[in-house]
Amino acid sequence: MRIKKLSGALAIAALTTSYASDVRAGAFLMQEQSAKGSGRAFAGEAAIAEDASTIFSNPAGMTELSGTQFQLGGYVLKPEAKLSDRGSTVNGTPVGGVGKDQGFDAQPLSYFYAATPLQDDLWFGFAVNVPFGLADKYKSDYFGRYDSIETRLVAIDAAPSLAYAISPQVSIGGGIDLQYMKGKLANALPNPFAPGDPSADGKLSVEGDSFAVGYNLGILVKPTRDLNLGLTYRAALDQDIDGTATQTIFGTTTKQGAKTTVALPDSLSLAAAYKLTADTTLLAQANYYNWSRFDALDFSFADGSSATVEQKFRDSYGVSVGAQHRLSDAWTIRSGVEFDQTPTRDAYRSTAIPDADRIWLGVGASYAVTQSMSLDVSYAHMFAKDAPINRVTSFPALGTTVATQGMTETSSDVLGIGLQVSF
């Protein structure tokens, strides 16, 4: 009976995951995988194991659940990354155009989880979510147009998972990540005969998609009745994007095949959840991201030409602390704070990924509607320091060199809601 319920829920999973915007952890990694997690500023996610979202944060945590569970939720993400010109030039001439732009709109994001016991010590789970996402679009005549006009990237991940309780104190788990990625990159092309005139620009856009398979592993240890320790590893993935490049210059449009590889990072998370009292739990987590894999986007085109867009990401980390408190049988409140380091470097930061070190503040609450149904809500705000953009791009075929120099001011608001049903 449990398996039948689970199979029926999986039929709607593909409908629960929508596009992601530029609200994320460092670069374009999405932390927003449960409304409860956002309310804690993502502290203790790999250790607390209190609902089906543990399938993503630590699959071993499924052994701590009770009965079959489904969880469906979503976010409204409102990012801001105000860009301002600081002397951008094309062949030494000011680029002209709009000196300021804010290239992000509010976007939805959603997730789905289902978990069921196969036997007392063995669990099966299934998750559909968006672990990576990026969406920005600027005015076609803004100062950074030769660096980027539009960037869209979304990875939809479906992950069947298993968890096994080796003993009452130790559980292990793992899952297979079946990940589809779709992306688009677009930028203006400078006209060497009319530098600084946006109306004379050409345009280059590359669109494509890819599918890759990865894995994740987790362990949950309970050294005492009140302490949970969790460790999770998510493997790196190489998404080999295959698509089409469209170029318009001097009034002529051409299309050809294009390929590139997006090297996604592996990550490691260590977390703790400590029951200070029967009603209060303290939470902490540290994350490591191997972002140095994302060194460049190397494009190869059907006509035999190639191009490289340097990224030069560095490895990064994030740390968070939080707490939650049960006010009554119906109400639980939570809060947390996180520092998240950007993997971007000042010398290579782009308008496509105008990232900076950031601090997250989160608050949230859960309400038990019935014994088998609960509702979660959360609000998080992200503060980031101003960061420079210093990008030099050469267009040899056009005999031009563009220096994109600017400043980015970043902040975000995230509203989350989730519904959990158990049987």
Side-chain angles (χ1 to χ4, degrees):
M1 183 64 177
R2 286 171 176 161
I3 296 299
K4 289 182 178 179
K5 291 176 181 176
L6 185 61
S7 299
L10 298 186
I12 66 169
L15 302 178
T16 69
T17 307
S18 51
Y19 203 62
S21 77
D22 198 68
V23 180
R24 57 192 187 270
F28 48 93
L29 184 147
M30 306 296 296
Q31 292 189 108
E32 294 79 11
Q33 305 301 339
S34 83
K36 285 183 180 178
S38 298
R40 296 185 287 255
F42 320 108
E45 290 296 275
I48 194 166
E50 62 179 351
D51 59 40
S53 67
T54 191
I55 298 169
F56 180 83
S57 56
N58 186 348
M62 283 190 285
T63 61
E64 296 294 290
L65 306 182
S66 177
T68 299
Q69 293 189 10
F70 304 118
Q71 189 176 119
L72 177 67
Y75 292 94
V76 175
L77 314 175
K78 184 61 180 74
E80 289 189 359
K82 297 178 181 178
L83 304 182
S84 56
D85 190 15
R86 294 291 189 272
S88 301
T89 61
V90 51
N91 283 354
T93 300
V95 295
V98 179
K100 292 185 177 181
D101 197 7
Q102 201 285 99
F104 309 105
D105 297 320
Q107 295 281 347
L109 172 71
S110 54
Y111 56 83
F112 171 84
Y113 303 103
T116 192
L118 301 178
Q119 56 189 49
D120 289 345
D121 53 4
L122 182 64
W123 281 70
F124 173 76
F126 190 83
V128 181
N129 52 12
V130 177
F132 297 93
L134 178 64
D136 52 60
K137 188 174 184 178
Y138 301 99
K139 295 180 176 65
S140 60
D141 61 348
Y142 91 113
F143 74 92
R145 61 191 180 276
Y146 302 123
D147 184 42
S148 71
I149 294 175
E150 183 177 4
T151 305
R152 293 189 178 274
L153 184 74
V154 61
I156 300 174
D157 196 280
S161 305
L162 290 173
Y164 178 69
I166 298 175
S167 70
Q169 289 77 39
V170 180
S171 296
I172 57 175
I176 301 298
D177 290 296
L178 309 173
Q179 190 177 109
Y180 171 77
M181 175 173 280
K182 185 174 183 179
K184 177 181 180 180
L185 298 174
N187 61 271
L189 295 174
N191 187 326
F193 304 108
D197 181 3
S199 65
D201 288 344
K203 183 180 179 180
L204 173 67
S205 66
V206 181
E207 296 184 66
D209 58 5
S210 176
F211 179 80
V213 179
Y215 66 92
N216 61 88
L217 301 171
I219 183 170
L220 185 70
V221 179
K222 299 185 290 181
T224 71
R225 183 180 63 179
D226 298 324
L227 178 63
N228 284 9
L229 299 176
L231 180 66
T232 306
Y233 173 76
R234 304 191 72 84
L237 279 174
D238 286 336
Q239 287 283 4
D240 297 322
I241 305 291
D242 193 348
T244 302
T246 302
Q247 177 178 285
T248 299
I249 190 70
F250 307 134
T252 301
T253 297
T254 59
K255 292 187 177 183
Q256 62 175 314
K259 296 182 179 181
T260 191
T261 296
V262 180
L264 300 174
D266 48 338
S267 62
L268 189 67
S269 299
L270 176 63
Y274 177 68
K275 291 184 178 179
L276 185 64
T277 69
D279 297 321
T280 302
T281 302
L282 304 181
L283 304 154
Q285 183 153 324
N287 304 311
Y288 168 79
Y289 307 105
N290 184 21
W291 271 117
S292 58
R293 299 186 74 250
F294 191 58
D295 185 64
L297 290 173
D298 294 311
F299 293 91
S300 59
F301 301 101
D303 65 3
S305 62
S306 62
T308 296
V309 181
E310 290 188 325
Q311 303 296 329
K312 299 296 183 183
F313 276 22
R314 62 182 177 181
D315 295 343
S316 64
Y317 68 92
V319 291
S320 56
V321 293
Q324 68 179 33
H325 178 73
R326 186 176 65 178
L327 295 174
S328 65
D329 289 341
W331 285 98
T332 299
I333 58 174
R334 56 186 61 88
S335 185
V337 59
E338 180 192 42
F339 171 77
D340 185 40
Q341 183 191 40
T342 179
T344 61
R345 303 173 189 265
D346 286 354
Y348 295 94
R349 186 175 293 108
S350 71
T351 58
I353 309 176
D355 203 35
D357 292 346
R358 63 194 64 198
I359 293 176
W360 288 90
L361 297 178
V363 294
S366 295
Y367 175 69
V369 181
T370 67
Q371 286 188 338
S372 60
M373 181 183 295
S374 63
L375 183 67
D376 309 314
V377 294
S378 66
Y379 168 74
H381 183 78
M382 182 272 288
F383 305 85
K385 67 179 185 179
D386 297 352
I389 294 173
N390 295 296
R391 192 90 170 167
V392 176
T393 307
S394 295
F395 299 87
L398 298 174
T400 58
T401 299
V402 176
T404 303
Q405 297 181 326
M407 188 68 67
T408 176
E409 303 173 46
T410 307
S411 66
S412 300
D413 293 289
V414 182
L415 180 64
I417 186 169
L419 177 67
Q420 180 175 300
V421 178
S422 59
F423 298 91

